Amino acid sequence: MNARSLKLTLGLVALSAFAVVAASCGSSSSPTSPSPGPGGGGGGGGTADVTITIVRENGNQSFSPNPATVTAGQTVAWRNADNMAHDPVANDGSFNTGAIAPGATSAPITMGTAGTFGYHCGIHPDMVGTLNVTQ
Ligand SMILES: [Cu+2]
């Protein structure tokens, strides 16, 4: 190997090393790794403390469990097990998941205030549930 081809080889190595760095930079912009909240105690993993399943449009049997119970400060999400979109929204407007596609789970919603919250589906108002937030 003469000096010229050695230089060329080194240049290629440097180039491919740069490509690897660039590629790993690109992929690291994907979702940030979830960090467990302070105080420990379950949860973590980016999921809610309590997940309520949307079964189907069926009056007060539309959500499971119903009523659901969560401690103030914890998070709740709704998982849509039905084959149509649903939109859990508090009767008092304090929360609204937005429409949840079939098979999808809403973003976790933090329940900051203790109380009993009735909610319904914004798309199918006959779908009703209750969420008890304890102190
Ligand atoms: Cu609905």
Side-chain angles (χ1 to χ4, degrees):
M1 190 182 275
N2 61 32
R4 185 179 149 76
S5 69
L6 177 66
K7 199 175 171 186
L8 212 119
T9 307
L10 286 175
L12 279 174
V13 168
L15 243 167
S16 50
F18 175 79
V20 167
V21 169
S24 61
C25 265
S27 65
S28 72
S29 67
S30 52
T32 52
S33 54
S35 55
T47 56
D49 294 303
V50 172
T51 301
I52 298 169
T53 299
I54 304 171
V55 183
R56 65 181 185 281
E57 184 178 3
N58 187 24
N60 64 3
Q61 310 271 295
S62 301
F63 303 96
S64 177
N66 183 41
T69 302
V70 62
T71 303
Q74 285 192 315
T75 54
V76 180
W78 279 261
R79 183 178 67 85
N80 186 359
D82 197 12
N83 58 8
M84 64 179 76
H86 296 290
D87 175 13
V89 51
N91 294 347
D92 66 2
S94 59
F95 63 81
N96 184 349
T97 64
I100 306 166
T105 299
S106 75
I109 293 176
T110 302
M111 298 297 158
T113 313
T116 300
F117 298 90
Y119 65 93
H120 60 278
C121 175
I123 303 166
H124 315 98
D126 58 304
M127 298 172 66
V128 294
T130 301
L131 183 59
N132 293 315
V133 182
T134 58
Q135 200 54 263

